[in-house]
Amino acid sequence: MKSVQQEVDERSNLTGTNKFELLLFRLGGDAQGNHNELFGINVFKIREIVAMPEITAVAGAPQHVLGVVNLRGQIIQVLDLPGITGVTPKTGLNIMLVTEFARTTQAFAVESVEEIVRLDWSQVMTAENTAGTGMVTSIARLPEADGQPARLAQVLDVETILRRLNPEQDRQDLSQAVGSKITIKPGTIILAADDSVVARALIEQGLDAMGLPYIMTKSGKEAWDQLGAIAAAAEAEGRTVYDRVAMVLTDLEMPEMDGFTLTRNIKSSQRFGNLPVVIHSSLSGTTNEEHVKNVRADAYVAKFSAEDLSRTLRKVLGG
């Protein structure tokens, strides 16, 4: 039997293998209680899972904010995840998922928790072109297990959910936040990768405010393929990738290829090894920051602060 420390170490080491663990849960179904679909969230975002405590309603709270709870002295906002996604719990809101990412702690009320599954990011496909509200960032293909047929789980875009509940976060003076324009080598661009629709929009607004030209991609694999294509075009003109790309800015959680794998591929390549890579992620904590060092990223910046992003890019780019 594995010790707790062995479990923690094994889970932490997944980031070096393009693998991750997904917590599966259910939110409910339609008005008749049917179609109770599986949803998922990266285990690294989960601080703890607790039975639903007593919630204190807050006067004037926005729709889908159930209230707050006092969890060991910390006041945490509780969000009605079934209500946000438009489904109805059959047995009620029984479980609270306490999450930590993007510099914040919040809890999501769900109907039930199923299990934790270990997957390769290649088993996760983008949900960009599927019908929906944009709250699902990708679809995970779950393998057959214990007699269960292969299943699909919807990976929620929690960044989009939180931004929709708190739209005032986006109302900031970007020109003032990012400071003066950042200068890079003429003819070069920033190659960025993020699978979240909201995150991409925020990054694009930030880079525009900094005066930085960019190419935006939706996954680590797309960024890797794009980098290869840019390099090939440059070499055909007698130049190198460094004449076309100034830096790579990447998220960590992405379908097909995660940001750790993308960074490791770049840094271990003779062709691209000297390209600066900045990891821009909602995943935080010392464990992830240690992995950032292990893949030789040049910097890490937590989402999303235009001021912090500008400060980091200015330092890395020397602008």
Side-chain angles (χ1 to χ4, degrees), residues 189-193 214-235 240-241 244-245 247-249 257 262 266 271-272 275:
I189 52 92
I190 306 298
L191 179 62
Y214 58 85
I215 293 176
M216 181 62 71
T217 60
K218 302 170 186 175
S219 73
K221 184 178 184 302
E222 185 180 344
W224 178 248
D225 292 344
Q226 181 71 248
L227 188 58
I230 292 172
E235 289 158 5
T240 72
V241 68
R244 295 289 180 262
V245 180
M247 191 198 75
V248 176
L249 178 67
M257 180 190 291
L262 172 63
I266 291 171
R271 198 181 191 189
F272 309 127
L275 271 178

Side-chain angles (χ1 to χ4, degrees), residues 57-73:
V58 177
Q63 184 182 20
H64 304 311
V65 175
L66 297 174
V68 296
V69 297
N70 182 358
L71 192 62
R72 288 182 294 282

Side-chain angles (χ1 to χ4, degrees), residues 18 121 219-221 224 252 254-259 261-262 265:
N18 204 44
W121 277 109
S219 73
K221 184 178 184 302
W224 178 248
L252 288 182
M254 293 182 289
E256 301 183 281
M257 180 190 291
D258 68 8
T261 302
L262 172 63
N265 286 352

Side-chain angles (χ1 to χ4, degrees), residues 185-206:
K185 182 179 178 179
T188 62
I189 52 92
I190 306 298
L191 179 62
D194 202 298
D195 67 326
S196 167
V197 174
V198 164
R200 287 201 302 273
L202 291 172
I203 292 167
E204 289 174 354
Q205 291 168 16

Side-chain angles (χ1 to χ4, degrees), residues 1 6 25 66 98 119 144 156 202 232 252 278 308 311:
M1 186 174 180
Q6 284 175 318
F25 55 90
L66 297 174
V98 182
L119 301 171
E144 297 180 15
L156 290 174
L202 291 172
L252 288 182
V278 172
D308 289 351
R311 185 185 304 115

Side-chain angles (χ1 to χ4, degrees), residues 296-310:
R296 293 184 289 152
D298 294 85
Y300 168 88
V301 58
K303 291 179 178 175
F304 183 83
S305 163
E307 183 177 358
D308 289 351
L309 181 60
S310 174

Side-chain angles (χ1 to χ4, degrees), residues 21-26 38-41 43 49 112-118 142-143 145-146 148 151:
E21 287 188 330
L22 193 67
L23 174 70
L24 301 177
F25 55 90
R26 295 188 189 274
L38 270 177
F39 291 87
I41 187 171
V43 169
I49 303 168
S112 64
V113 169
E114 297 281 307
E115 60 181 313
I116 292 175
V117 293
R118 185 166 295 180
L142 309 179
D146 300 326
Q148 291 184 322
R151 299 166 292 163

